Each structure stands twice: as C-alpha cells, then as structure tokens.
Amino acid sequence: MAKPVIMTVDDDPGVSRAVARDLRRRYAGTYRIVRAESGAQALEALRELKLRGDDAAVLVADHRMPGMTGVEFLEQAMDVYPYARRVLLTAYADTEAAIRAINVVDLDHYLLKPWNPPEEKFYPVIDAQLDAWRRTPRRESAELRVVGHRWSARSYEVRDFLARNQVSYTWLLDTAPEGAELARAAGDPELPLVVTADGTALSAPTDAELAAAVGLPTAPAAEFYDLIVVGGGPAGLGAAVYGASEGLRTVLVERHASGGQAGQSSRIENYLGFPDGVSGAQLADRARRQAERFGAELITTAEAAGLEARGRARVVRQAGGAEISAHAVILATGVSYRRLDVPGLDALVGVGVYYGAAMAEIPGCRGEEVYVVGGANSAGQAAVNLSRYARCVHLVARADGLERSMSHYLIRQIAEIPNIQVHTRTVVGAAHGSAHLEGLTLKGPLGERRADAQRLFVFIGAEPRTDWLDGVVERDPRGFVLTGPDLVAGGRRPADWTADRQPYHLETSLPGVFAAGDVRAASMKRVASAVGDGAMAVALVHRYLEQA
C-alpha cells in the first residue's frame, strides 16, 4: 500500500520548503510528504489522492494565505479526509484566530512560528498527531458504489443511511453507463445494488446487511453492562460520553444513525462553544468518536422493541429477539417528524417527499424549485441549506409568522436570502404524481393553487417513539415519558413504583430507568438541553447504583 500522506500548505515558498524539509528528515521513511503553496492547490491534491485510494494522516496549514486561509482550507479538507489530523501554523498575532479554529474545523493543534528547534517544538506535536491518527478507528469506504433508480424509495433510504453514518459512497444511476455496467456485471440483481471496495455485490440490502458490509457494529460484545443507552441523538451521545468517561461499561443502541434529528441539521448556530456554527453531522461525528474513545460501544441497526425488569437487571429486547441487560437504562429515543396527512402524500415518501433534511437528496435539488413545510428551526435550517442549491425554496408555514417557533437569528438569515420565499397561513392540501412527486396543491390566503414540485421536505412537529414502552413506564397522553416531579405531581406515586424513595429527577416510573432529551415530557427540545439531560441522567444513574 502507498504511504500515508503528511501535507503541508504555505503560500511562502521559503516557509513551505522549510516545513517539508523538517518533515522529510523525520518521517520520510514511513510517510509521503506532499507540499502545496495555496489552499486551492492543496485541495486539488487531496482530491487526487482520494481518487487513487491514498490516505492522509496529518494536514499542516499556514493561517495567513491569500485567497483561502488555513482555517478555510482545513474546513474544506474535512469533507475529503475527515479523519486526518489538522494542525494550523500561525504567528503569535494570530493566536486568537487559531483558538476560534478549534471550534470551526475541530482543530487538533496550532503551532506558533518559528518552530525551531524542531526536535523540541515541531516533532513532538507531529508525533502526537500521528499517534492519535493511527489509534482512530476509520471506517471509510471510498470505493463503495450504490446503483439505483433516481425515483426509488429504497435507493434513497440506502443513501440516507450511508450519509448519516458518515460512510463515503459514489451514487450511480442505473441508466448511466457505469451504473448499468455494474448492474450487468452483478447479474442484473434487484436494485439498489451496493458494491463494496472489495467487489462484494449486495442486492437490495437491509440496513443491517449494509451496516455489516461497511464495518458498523451491529451486535453488542457482551450480554450485561452497567448502562444501556437507547437512542443515538444528542441526549444519547451525551449519556454515552459521560457514562463511559466515568467508568460505567456503556452500550448505546441506535436503530438508524447517530445524531438523531440534530444530526441532519445543515448548520446549528446557537450551540454553546461554536460561534461560527457547526453542522449536525460534524457535531454527531465528534460526539460519536468521543464516546468510542472513552470505551462506549455504539451499536447500529438495533431497534428497541421491549423493556422489562428482571430482578435488579433491566433488559432491553431488540426487534429481532436479541436481548441486552444492564444495571440501568437511559431512554433517549428522541422524536420523529409527524406525518403530513394529505391525499396522495404517503405513496410518494422517498420519491420526492422526505421527512427531515434528507441530506443525500440535497445536491440533486440544484436548479429546482423545492418546498419546505414547517415553521420551527429545523425547517428554517433546511431552507437555508437548500437555498445554496435550489433555484427557489418555498417555506410553507401554517402560522401567521415564524416568530413564535423559530429563533430570531434564523428568521433574520432567511429574510436576507433572495431565493427563499416564505408563505405564511398556507398549508399543503394534496400531493400529485405517480412514480414520483410532480406537484402540490397549496391552500393560502388567496385561495387554492397548483404548484409544480419534485421535492417536498416536511418538518411539522414531533412524535415520541415510545409505543414499545406500553405498560412499562408511564407516559403522558401524547406518548412522552413522564419522569421525576411529573410522576409525583399532586402527592401521588407511580402505580408500579417499588423503591422506598421518590423518583429521581429524570427517573421514570420503573426504578433504574431514566429518560433524557426530547422523549422526556416537558423537555426543552433543544440540542444543548438534550446533551445536558444525558449528562444529568448519568449522574442520577450513579446515585441509583450507589443505593442499589
């Protein structure tokens, strides 16, 4: 195999040669040193390396470069090599910019110039980054190819699964020459066809088969844990990080992909500590890697179907019949978008109609008119992201305005984007199309009208995924899990409560089972509060275990 790459980027030829010289002196035997003199040149080189199947270990970029700063280069390089370690070279006067870059590009280190002698100031930094890169589990599938129909619900689901699990792939239409050739070579199987890097062909794979093919864990390594976290959104990931970091043997089970609804957000701009915003996918990926670094197990395509108490153990039963047991459980299953109940819509889900951001579909919206239904932050973030691709984005909201349900900063952004049109007091009355979405009936202040549309993204409120908890823990009339004070309101106690104490703040009606995040009744429905719930739930798990 080719040597992994260490890349240095600096617009000053003298500095560029000096950095490359020092790197070659120490690392040329094991790593290939690549030098570039601009961010654009470096990005082109990285893309060529990626196409050849080479890996990049460390990227060292100068901050002050014309055309593209080092921070801007590193941010774009994350899309090509997300696991490469990122080091910023900066002068003393630019240390504030370097500190900001820690949030923008998940910067691993910044180095002040000059770095002489390299044995003291340069090599120890690069050694540490290379060691961290070698220890980071990487599950990229750069050569993974997906062949399918443009308007196929299952093809969309496969691409969505891969995208949300941070797995690289190439999408090929079955009508394109390369796609048709791959399908013929595989014996014209049922589509979608997934071809792995080693040439294995999967015909219409299930999510579990797909996960196994790309190296995602689908089964726990043990039968008993200290803590089971059900759900991989911000609350679940927060619980996994704090549980594992505080010594609990922790397993997180997730039915689709880590990040939950927040993981699909194109940009979260009001999360503490990220002044320039962060994408939901980046935030979820960082949290996942952090949890795994502390020793938490993350299991994908594991759908919880039942929960019960067996003595002191709490048992989670999966849809396939497998069981995992633990001393305690944290329910962090979040919510799903409520279905839009209009004629003709259900038959078009996945073929023009999408619930949530549907990140895999967004590049295909280039030059089109698209519709977004909803008035909260998730709908606004999707509209802003889609505006970068679509000719026009129509944001359809039932309310008189966006102020009641959307953050002020987002309303202001939308108002400044010329190709977003906001339609208030408007609803979708019907969807039209046979093989895919072709049009919508809109009902607004001026009456009813027909609009041509090939894509509709729906964000209309939330429903908890708690049917599997029937008869096990108490829920409110809408299905949200009751915890702590809500269980003992008015001086009552939960009907099946067995402990000789009041429930802890996030504890459900089953002792040892806690709820965190959006699934909890009366929660704030924000990323920051969900993460806080996850951390608090772990603290209460410790209190529960100490008194057990």
Side-chain angles (χ1 to χ4, degrees), residues 369-419:
E369 290 201 23
V370 301
Y371 286 77
V372 176
V373 177
N377 279 6
S378 54
Q381 289 162 352
V384 170
N385 191 34
L386 283 162
S387 70
R388 301 186 181 105
Y389 299 86
R391 182 173 72 254
C392 183
V393 180
H394 298 272
L395 181 58
V396 179
R398 180 188 296 270
D400 293 339
L402 303 176
E403 291 77 14
R404 179 175 296 181
S405 55
M406 190 178 292
S407 295
H408 176 70
Y409 81 89
L410 202 48
I411 296 173
R412 193 173 63 234
Q413 274 188 27
I414 289 170
E416 294 171 354
I417 299 174
N419 63 330

Side-chain angles (χ1 to χ4, degrees), residues 130-289:
L130 289 171
D131 180 62
W133 176 79
R134 286 189 295 266
R135 289 188 289 105
T136 299
R138 297 184 292 281
R139 55 171 186 249
E140 292 186 83
S141 302
E143 296 180 40
L144 193 77
R145 289 163 289 178
V146 180
V147 182
H149 305 298
R150 180 189 180 193
W151 299 115
S152 160
R154 184 54 191 159
S155 293
Y156 157 70
E157 290 167 357
V158 165
R159 291 185 292 128
D160 184 62
F161 179 86
L162 293 172
R164 291 181 61 188
N165 280 289
Q166 307 288 314
V167 178
S168 302
Y169 69 93
T170 299
W171 165 237
L172 302 168
L173 291 172
D174 61 319
T175 53
E178 187 178 352
E181 184 179 335
L182 269 178
R184 283 195 300 271
D188 291 319
E190 180 184 354
L191 299 181
L193 169 68
V194 177
V195 181
T196 65
D198 63 4
T200 301
L202 304 173
S203 172
T206 64
D207 284 356
E209 291 169 340
L210 197 56
V214 300
L216 294 169
T218 58
E223 294 182 356
F224 198 91
Y225 293 82
D226 295 318
L227 175 62
I228 301 170
V229 180
V230 185
L237 288 169
V241 167
Y242 282 94
S245 68
E246 293 176 12
L248 297 178
R249 186 170 189 186
T250 302
V251 61
L252 183 152
V253 294
E254 165 57 43
R255 70 187 185 99
H256 191 68
S258 58
Q261 286 188 11
Q264 300 182 69
S265 296
S266 57
R267 204 74 177 168
I268 301 170
E269 299 193 53
N270 58 353
Y271 188 68
L272 184 67
F274 291 86
D276 297 294
V278 61
S279 76
Q282 287 178 343
L283 189 63
D285 183 56
R286 294 177 191 183
R288 177 190 57 76
R289 288 189 283 121

